[in-house]
Amino acid sequence: MENHRKKMKYVSPQLNVEEVEMEQGIAAGSAAVKPGSSSNEVKSQWDTGSDSNSNVEW
């Protein structure tokens, strides 16, 4: 008895590329925020400083 195998048609692989442009969020996970000072004290009040009256370019 002979084994006859039916050959399947070759389908070449495909590569799809989608380019996504982000407006914001690229550095969302790169900052480390630690409450308190270097002596591990947590401040309960804001530090008051001089007011800044300058224009900010966006």
Side-chain angles (χ1 to χ4, degrees):
M1 181 174 195
E2 294 181 24
N3 287 335
H4 292 283
R5 293 186 182 181
K6 184 176 180 182
K7 290 188 177 184
M8 298 177 69
K9 183 179 178 182
Y10 176 75
V11 179
S12 61
Q14 291 182 337
L15 178 64
N16 298 325
V17 177
E18 291 189 31
E19 186 173 325
V20 178
E21 184 175 331
M22 294 178 59
E23 185 174 328
Q24 293 179 349
I26 192 70
S30 65
V33 178
K34 296 179 182 177
S37 63
S38 60
S39 61
N40 291 330
E41 291 181 25
V42 176
K43 294 183 179 183
S44 60
Q45 295 182 357
W46 289 94
D47 292 333
T48 56
S50 61
D51 292 334
S52 176
N53 293 329
S54 59
N55 293 331
V56 178
E57 298 285 333
W58 290 96

